[in-house]
Amino acid sequence: MVQPVHITGVGGYLPERILTNAELASLVDTTDDWIVERTGIRERHIIAGNQHTSDLAVEAARQALDDAGLKPSDLDALVVATTTPDMIFPSTAAVVQSKLGASGFPVWDIQAVCSGFVYGLAQITGMMEAGMFRRVLLVGAESMSRILNWKDRTTCVLFGDGAGAVVLECMDGEGGIMGSVLNADGSYRPLLMAKHPHPGASPDMPDMRIDAAGIAAIEMRGNEVFRTAVNKLGEVVGQVLEHCHTEVSDVDWLIPHQANIRIINATAKKLKLGTERVAITVDKHANTSSASVPLALNTYYREGKVKEGQLILLEAFGAGFVWGANLLRWTKG
Ligand code: COA
């Protein structure tokens, strides 16, 4: 018989350096008021010069393993969702495994940009339900500050760095991960991208813009991203509730991707879900891409807001576009 997959450990890590809106206003032509009003963001954490994405992931992973009462050697697999890997290869998951002092189980990265964690949770749950693994660590980790054009006020104010992690275990008992719905439409890709740094690699996108460090920087048509995100998130959240035979009125917490408070509020309004049931960390974390959902989950878990037996809805939307949602019954206490 298939045992359900439960979250048994949660962790998070934010680099020490906090960059406020006021500091950003000394770098580009912006104001604290504009950023707060249009995005809800007040500050973000920025990775230190001597840190890599894997270092953020390791901190979050250690906390999640401690929380589950496990050692790295107890794992059957380790997966890192990231769009800002330490290098093209090996995978950041391989670096994290080694930094944790472990070996002897499979590791791989997932690249679904801001939807990486939601995609990862769906993928791993499916593999665990198929009997491949019993204990898996899933991390979302990003150093978005490394792929920003710090002269472009329309994008550099939106992102931050950090990592969030969960331990997933097959165990008897009601609840756990109930279902997921994933979707994508690659025809939207010109609206949001960070192009490959090698000229000629993307012939359909010739107007490459490289930031000062020589790294491909994020480019975005914000308005169009905003509109599509609200539509697709509303749709996928309805689909996952239907898939799990649940009503929106049963949901205790919506833990959404933290890109913009206006996207979050518009999605909640579409669902007729009161804001008191919506987790918000975008004010302190900004958009940390694949780390955003597990970081928000970790924050609300550690603040004692997420409680035993509650129904939790996760959703995310990212470049591609790719989007998805997971529904779970919290069993961690
Ligand atoms: N500070 C001050 N002014 C800014 C600014 C900034 N940081 N960024 C843009 N502006 C200006 C624009 O240049 C524009 O000026 P103009 O009217 O003179 O041309 C004006 O503000 C309005 O720009 P607009 O893009 O229409 O604002 P908006 O209300 O759509 O907000 C975003 C912009 C980026 C905050 C919003 O579109 C957004 O959040 N989109 C989704 C982004 C996202 O979440 N991406 C990741 C998805 S995973």
Side-chain angles (χ1 to χ4, degrees):
M1 203 191 95
V2 177
Q3 279 182 310
V5 176
H6 298 261
I7 292 179
T8 60
V10 193
Y13 176 75
L14 291 157
E16 263 174 47
R17 166 86 165 100
I18 292 173
L19 180 66
T20 63
N21 289 349
E23 282 179 90
L24 269 174
S26 67
L27 288 177
V28 287
D29 182 15
T30 192
T31 61
D32 177 48
D33 283 352
W34 191 95
I35 302 172
V36 172
E37 192 193 313
R38 301 292 179 114
T39 72
I41 298 166
R42 294 181 184 276
E43 57 188 38
R44 71 286 291 140
H45 291 250
I46 302 290
I47 191 167
N50 61 356
Q51 284 180 313
H52 298 283
T53 295
S54 61
D55 296 311
L56 314 189
V58 164
E59 295 294 335
R62 284 207 177 105
Q63 195 179 41
L65 284 165
D66 275 358
D67 194 39
L70 296 179
K71 301 184 294 299
S73 57
D74 295 325
L75 294 171
D76 298 330
L78 186 161
V79 179
V80 176
T82 186
T83 195
T84 47
D86 287 16
M87 48 191 118
I88 294 172
F89 66 79
S91 68
T92 302
V95 183
V96 171
Q97 184 191 40
S98 163
K99 286 182 177 173
L100 287 172
S103 62
F105 53 80
V107 298
W108 67 95
D109 284 2
I110 290 183
Q111 160 58 309
V113 202
C114 299
S115 297
F117 183 84
V118 166
Y119 262 58
L121 194 58
Q123 182 192 44
I124 293 166
T125 302
M127 295 175 93
M128 292 175 80
E129 286 173 349
M132 285 187 75
F133 311 115
R134 296 187 56 80
R135 285 174 174 163
V136 181
L137 180 68
L138 171 63
V139 191
E142 302 283 8
S143 39
M144 299 305 285
S145 64
R146 299 253 161 93
I147 58 163
L148 288 173
N149 176 352
W150 288 98
K151 296 191 177 87
D152 177 8
R153 69 176 182 173
T154 68
T155 52
C156 76
V157 302
L158 301 175
F159 295 89
D161 303 333
V166 294
V167 173
L168 297 161
E169 292 190 71
C170 285
M171 287 191 329
D172 286 333
E174 296 284 298
I177 316 298
M178 297 163 61
S180 302
V181 174
L182 306 178
N183 207 341
D185 185 342
S187 68
Y188 283 107
R189 68 195 187 287
L191 300 186
L192 176 55
M193 57 190 162
K195 291 172 197 160
H196 199 279
H198 302 301
S202 307
D204 56 334
M205 297 167 186
D207 59 328
M208 261 186 25
R209 183 175 56 186
I210 307 282
D211 79 356
I215 296 163
I218 293 176
E219 295 172 50
M220 180 173 65
R221 301 221 295 266
N223 256 311
E224 290 158 79
V225 176
F226 189 104
R227 272 200 307 277
T228 317
V230 173
N231 280 335
K232 300 298 185 194
L233 286 171
E235 204 175 276
V236 79
V237 158
Q239 287 165 344
V240 81
L241 288 169
E242 197 182 315
H243 174 69
C244 298
H245 312 291
T246 339
E247 303 289 327
V248 72
S249 54
D250 298 328
V251 173
D252 293 293
W253 284 110
L254 171 67
I255 304 195
H257 173 45
Q258 307 284 320
N260 184 318
I261 191 80
R262 287 158 54 219
I263 296 180
I264 296 172
N265 287 343
T267 309
K269 194 170 163 197
K270 244 183 164 180
L271 282 170
K272 301 194 172 64
L273 195 71
T275 48
E276 72 288 350
R277 287 192 281 158
V278 182
I280 305 290
T281 51
V282 69
D283 53 335
K284 299 254 189 253
H285 301 172
N287 182 347
T288 57
S289 191
S290 71
S292 126
V293 169
L295 264 174
L297 176 65
N298 183 56
T299 304
Y300 273 60
Y301 164 63
R302 286 182 190 275
E303 288 175 358
K305 293 176 178 161
V306 168
K307 296 194 176 77
E308 183 74 14
Q310 287 187 331
L311 194 64
I312 316 267
L313 179 53
L314 312 179
E315 49 90 322
F317 178 89
F321 292 137
V322 298
W323 62 95
N326 326 99
L327 192 70
L328 60 108
R329 179 79 62 190
W330 193 252
T331 49
K332 182 147 173 45

